[in-house]
Amino acid sequence: MSSPVQTSGQTSGKQTPIALTIAGSDSGGGAGIQADLKTFSALGVFGASVIASLTAQNTLGVQGVFPVPPVFVQQQIQSVLSDLSVGAIKSGMLATADIIAAVAESLSAYPHIPFVLDPVMVATSGDRLLAEDAINTLIEKLIPLASVVTPNLHEAAVLLNEPVATSLEQMQLQGEKIIALGARAVLMKGGHTNSEQATDLLITAAGVSAFSMPRLTTKNTHGTGCTLASAIAAGLAKTLSLHDAVKEAKHYLHNALLHSEKLHIGQGSGPVHHFYSFY
């Protein structure tokens, strides 16, 4: 008689890489939790999720936001981290000061897990996703926990209360100021510049690394920030160095944008093609 097939519990062999996203749900499927989980899967990482807010959202914009009670956000985090061997955590849309404070309190108990902080403030459509009074809480409580913060140029300007950077030199200076707020590293995303190359700067205590890809022209940019931050978290979950995780993530996003024209989703700003390599 053959032995029964094992269907649960720990098995021998290599540990499955796991990443956790703490973010908002995008009902249109192009950004937020949905984009994060697609990115994890595409890069060979098992994805777990904590939903911090719900949105009524599509390619045309955000029609409504419903924040999840902070105590339940914490319950989700504890449920996941008490059971799964999570290799990296990524946060996205957190919506309110109370939710940010709750996430910070929970994550402070897990300083050994790499944490990618995407300071989501505004959707691609221009709709605001972070309450004005939540910015200081983000700066004071969450940035000091971050292994890397991934602001676009507009988000960095809001965090620092400065004009938007227009050059690589200004991007570096602002990145260094965000590190001074307590982050271990900052990836300043240059996607909103006007140069032919889309250049991001990874700034750490050890120095600055530039990651450049040719700029692409497409309307399918919904969820690009979520996708890049999640791809970095996926790399960290696979135990890549931060430099290599950013390099892999930048390459992945470039190709997801390059192949996005194969998708015909919605009437507005469509999503990137998370599963381009499978089609």
Side-chain angles (χ1 to χ4, degrees):
M1 183 174 179
S2 61
S3 300
V5 176
Q6 185 173 359
T7 58
S8 63
Q10 296 294 320
T11 59
S12 60
K14 186 177 180 180
Q15 174 69 42
T16 301
I18 302 171
L20 167 65
T21 170
I22 306 170
S25 170
D26 173 5
S27 56
I33 289 283
Q34 287 80 356
D36 298 343
L37 293 177
K38 290 172 186 176
T39 300
F40 294 160
S41 295
L43 293 173
V45 173
F46 181 84
S49 62
V50 168
I51 298 179
S53 57
L54 308 175
T55 68
Q57 185 175 176
N58 54 30
T59 64
L60 297 173
V62 180
Q63 293 79 45
V65 176
F66 182 78
V68 173
V71 67
F72 189 64
V73 173
Q74 288 187 311
Q75 188 174 6
Q76 293 177 76
I77 294 172
Q78 179 58 24
S79 181
V80 172
L81 295 182
S82 66
D83 178 36
L84 278 59
S85 297
V86 171
I89 299 170
K90 176 258 179 181
S91 72
M93 175 190 175
L94 299 180
T96 71
D98 288 344
I99 292 174
I100 291 171
V103 170
E105 181 180 32
S106 293
L107 295 191
S108 64
Y110 300 90
H112 60 288
I113 302 178
F115 171 40
V116 180
L117 169 56
D118 185 15
V120 176
M121 298 179 185
V122 179
T124 301
S125 60
D127 296 289
R128 193 166 188 87
L129 298 175
L130 182 67
E132 191 72 34
D133 64 353
I135 296 173
N136 285 338
T137 307
L138 181 76
I139 293 170
E140 295 170 5
K141 294 185 179 294
L142 212 51
I143 284 181
L145 300 178
S147 302
V148 60
V149 186
T150 63
N152 62 36
L153 299 185
H154 296 283
E155 289 162 347
V158 171
L159 289 173
L160 298 170
N161 194 27
E162 293 185 356
V164 175
T166 58
S167 68
L168 292 179
E169 291 77 15
Q170 291 175 358
M171 286 170 60
Q172 180 177 339
L173 286 173
Q174 289 194 343
E176 290 170 349
K177 290 178 181 179
I178 294 174
I179 286 181
L181 296 175
R184 278 169 274 174
V186 177
L187 182 68
M188 293 288 291
K189 298 181 297 189
H192 291 97
T193 60
N194 295 319
S195 61
E196 292 184 0
Q197 294 286 313
T199 300
D200 300 345
L201 297 182
L202 177 63
I203 302 157
T204 69
V208 181
S209 298
F211 300 85
S212 296
M213 288 296 232
R215 186 174 300 281
L216 300 172
T217 301
T218 175
K219 71 170 187 175
N220 294 331
T221 58
H222 185 51
T224 50
C226 305
T227 298
L228 182 65
S230 295
I232 295 170
L236 295 175
K238 293 185 290 188
T239 69
L240 296 182
S241 68
L242 178 58
H243 181 279
D244 288 347
V246 171
K247 181 179 179 180
E248 179 182 85
K250 181 80 170 174
H251 183 267
Y252 169 73
L253 178 59
H254 177 80
N255 280 286
L257 282 164
L258 183 65
H259 291 84
S260 67
E261 297 302 320
K262 296 178 182 178
L263 299 177
H264 303 282
I265 309 295
Q267 304 169 62
S269 179
V272 304
H273 197 330
H274 293 96
F275 297 115
Y276 67 86
S277 63
F278 300 103
Y279 295 92

